[in-house]
Amino acid sequence: QVQLVESGGGLVQPGGSLRLSCEASGSIFVILGMGWYRQAPGKERELVARITRGGTPNYADSVKGRFTISRDVAKNTVVLQMNSLNPEDTAVYYCNAMHLTTSRTQSDYWGQGTQVTVSS
């Protein structure tokens, strides 16, 4: 089992910044891709950003140029730096990790979610 623990959410004014962190722990063999998703009230969960084990990022169009994803492979952590936040970014943000086991099977893991609220 792999556990993901997120931190860094909160309340911020429009135009402000927040930094989300996520650490994977437990019986880890290899963590492949890691990423962040979000779900706003009444909406489906959507991709915000993902990053491969090799460090290649992928962003949703709505956050390109404002958000930056990074990871530390050795520490099994992923960070989402969010700048120029606007009210449309308000959502619960979830960390995601794809785990590769010793038997070469892949499993998806999710964090518990952290609330990000952008409001004046």
Side-chain angles (χ1 to χ4, degrees):
Q1 286 288 335
V2 175
Q3 295 80 42
L4 301 178
V5 177
E6 302 131 332
S7 60
L11 173 64
V12 65
Q13 292 187 344
S17 298
L18 280 176
R19 181 181 173 92
L20 304 183
S21 298
C22 174
E23 180 177 5
S25 64
S27 301
I28 295 173
F29 180 56
V30 174
I31 298 290
L32 301 174
M34 298 187 78
W36 292 92
Y37 291 71
R38 66 187 182 188
Q39 188 167 18
K43 295 187 177 181
E44 294 187 353
R45 190 174 297 188
E46 63 176 3
L47 170 70
V48 176
R50 286 195 67 81
I51 186 167
T52 68
R53 184 172 177 82
T56 301
N58 179 43
Y59 298 96
D61 288 342
S62 60
V63 307
K64 283 180 181 178
R66 300 188 299 122
F67 292 9
T68 301
I69 190 170
S70 60
R71 70 182 289 181
D72 186 324
V73 172
K75 296 181 179 180
N76 291 315
T77 58
V78 63
V79 171
L80 185 69
Q81 177 66 44
M82 305 186 293
N83 299 327
S84 301
L85 286 160
N86 59 60
E88 289 70 39
D89 296 315
T90 295
V92 178
Y93 284 68
Y94 295 91
C95 178
N96 172 267
M98 179 65 71
H99 178 241
L100 179 69
T101 69
T102 54
S103 58
R104 295 296 187 265
T105 59
Q106 296 183 16
S107 299
D108 229 2
Y109 289 92
W110 294 89
Q112 79 284 357
T114 185
Q115 178 69 46
V116 171
T117 302
V118 185
S119 175
S120 56

